Amino acid sequence: MAYAFYKLFLHFALRLPDAFFKVLFFIIFPIYKALHTKRAYGRVVSHLQATGFSSDSAPGRQQINARDVFKSLYWNGIDSYRLLARIPSATLRVRYENEHVIKEALAQGPIVALSIHQGAFENLHRSLCRYSEHVHLITSPFKSTALTRALREIRNDKNLHEYSTEEVATVLRSLFKTNGILAMVVDQARDARGNSVELFGKQSTLYLRLPEKANQMGAGIVTFRTFCETTTDTCGKKFRQHIVRFEKYYPPKYGKSDTLQAEAPLVKEIASEIETWIADHPEQWTWNYHGNFR
């Protein structure tokens, strides 16, 4: 029954017009805020204030509030699943930038393509399938087996190969055997040991140990991100466009570090990149994650 519900939502409800979802957000956001004042909503308020992005903070960074964050997460989430469901109205609004970065990197050998939970991030892994027939993805199951099953079905692609968190060794072997892509988001993880870094003057955690290990074994690293911009078509109608932008290539054994530590050049440079990405579009990052800034 639960599986049927999730399939119905993912394949039917997502095709409803934006007007429906606008009304729905107007109704559910005040309820969500009231129920999560001391949890997710409260964390966002606290994190924005601590890092200087809050509208209550001193000027210097882009000023946003918690509602901006949740509204952005809401719309990017809807568009993420529309993209996974291959709904044309969504897929036609994706623009790819700097594709030469990943194409040239793949010509050198296997790569780790890493990003963060920003924008329509659920589409990040699928987007890599246009560049390789061997995209390897490690996923964690949800508490609901029905939801996990439904999401794996909608995320499915002939070029995407999913693994559980217990199959890290298998993933690494497959990566080098196929000269493919290991897809990762590195700002959140479950039951994993991370790298301590500084973001916006606050201690935080990025999960770069696996990319760092793969890099030392001979894989390159490509950083990339996605974000949403409101633009206007030729008829003057506004619409949300999702940009997938490839940023930088780190060659194998970057920095020649013999140990996996936060001070390694690779970790420091990737952390600096990610800080810039968040600052560019702060309302589109998952500030609500409970592991941020600890």
Side-chain angles (χ1 to χ4, degrees), residues 110 171-180 213-215 217-219:
V171 172
L172 288 174
R173 285 195 298 269
S174 298
L175 173 66
F176 286 95
K177 182 178 179 180
T178 61
N179 276 330
K213 182 176 181 178
N215 181 254
M217 291 173 64

Side-chain angles (χ1 to χ4, degrees), residues 2-293:
Y3 171 68
F5 170 78
Y6 290 129
K7 280 200 67 173
L8 176 67
F9 175 76
L10 293 173
H11 291 282
F12 170 72
L14 291 174
R15 287 172 167 81
L16 293 172
D18 282 357
F20 168 82
F21 290 104
K22 288 179 181 179
V23 173
L24 184 61
F25 181 80
F26 182 80
I27 295 171
I28 65 174
F29 178 72
I31 300 172
Y32 179 89
K33 177 181 176 180
L35 294 176
H36 293 79
T37 300
K38 294 184 178 180
R39 292 185 290 169
Y41 183 87
R43 283 194 297 270
V44 172
V45 172
S46 175
H47 292 160
L48 292 177
Q49 290 175 340
T51 55
F53 285 97
S54 171
S55 53
D56 299 327
S57 304
R61 295 194 173 114
Q62 184 177 337
Q63 305 297 287
I64 60 173
N65 57 42
R67 189 179 188 278
D68 296 329
V69 172
F70 284 101
K71 185 177 180 180
S72 177
L73 292 177
Y74 175 81
W75 282 109
N76 281 328
I78 291 169
D79 283 344
S80 281
Y81 292 110
R82 284 172 167 170
L83 289 166
L84 291 181
R86 295 182 171 90
I87 299 174
S89 61
T91 58
L92 293 174
R93 300 202 310 267
V94 179
R95 185 175 80 234
Y96 295 89
E97 296 183 349
N98 302 337
E99 292 183 285
H100 68 278
V101 174
I102 190 168
K103 290 178 179 178
E104 292 170 4
L106 282 169
Q108 306 299 316
I111 64 169
V112 179
L114 62 84
S115 192
I116 60 174
H117 290 82
Q118 185 178 45
F121 57 83
E122 293 285 0
N123 185 53
L124 284 169
H125 313 119
R126 173 76 66 74
S127 68
L128 295 172
C129 293
R130 62 193 271 128
Y131 307 105
S132 173
E133 295 180 355
H134 304 285
V135 178
H136 307 285
L137 174 65
I138 299 175
T139 60
S140 297
F142 289 88
K143 291 182 180 179
S144 168
T145 56
L147 178 58
T148 299
R149 180 184 169 193
L151 288 178
R152 282 183 175 174
E153 180 181 303
I154 196 173
R155 190 164 52 215
N156 180 57
D157 187 279
K158 63 183 178 64
N159 294 342
L160 185 65
H161 313 277
E162 290 197 37
Y163 305 82
S164 69
T165 52
E166 291 79 23
E167 297 180 286
V168 171
T170 301
V171 172
L172 288 174
R173 285 195 298 269
S174 298
L175 173 66
F176 286 95
K177 182 178 179 180
T178 61
N179 276 330
I181 302 173
L182 172 58
M184 296 189 66
V185 284
V186 297
D187 57 337
Q188 299 176 21
R190 186 181 299 170
D191 301 323
R193 184 184 173 197
N195 305 72
S196 180
V197 299
E198 189 173 282
L199 298 176
F200 308 111
K202 302 294 179 181
Q203 286 302 120
S204 194
T205 302
L206 296 176
Y207 298 88
L208 292 164
R209 293 182 180 274
L210 181 54
E212 202 177 10
K213 182 176 181 178
N215 181 254
Q216 291 300 308
M217 291 173 64
I221 291 178
V222 169
T223 56
F224 75 125
R225 56 172 163 158
T226 186
F227 53 90
C228 178
E229 292 182 343
T230 301
T231 187
T232 305
D233 62 18
T234 55
C235 299
K237 183 179 179 180
K238 292 185 177 181
F239 65 96
R240 295 184 305 281
Q241 183 167 56
H242 297 279
I243 293 90
V244 177
R245 178 183 294 170
F246 296 94
E247 296 288 354
K248 186 174 179 179
Y249 172 62
Y250 297 86
K253 301 184 180 181
Y254 186 82
K256 299 181 180 180
S257 173
D258 295 325
T259 57
L260 305 183
Q261 52 185 318
E263 291 76 16
L266 180 65
V267 173
K268 293 181 67 175
E269 292 189 33
I270 290 175
S272 179
E273 271 198 86
I274 289 173
E275 185 180 77
T276 300
W277 300 351
I278 298 170
D280 285 347
H281 302 279
E283 79 288 354
Q284 296 185 42
W285 189 54
T286 51
W287 295 89
N288 54 311
Y289 182 58
H290 63 82
N292 292 335
F293 307 112

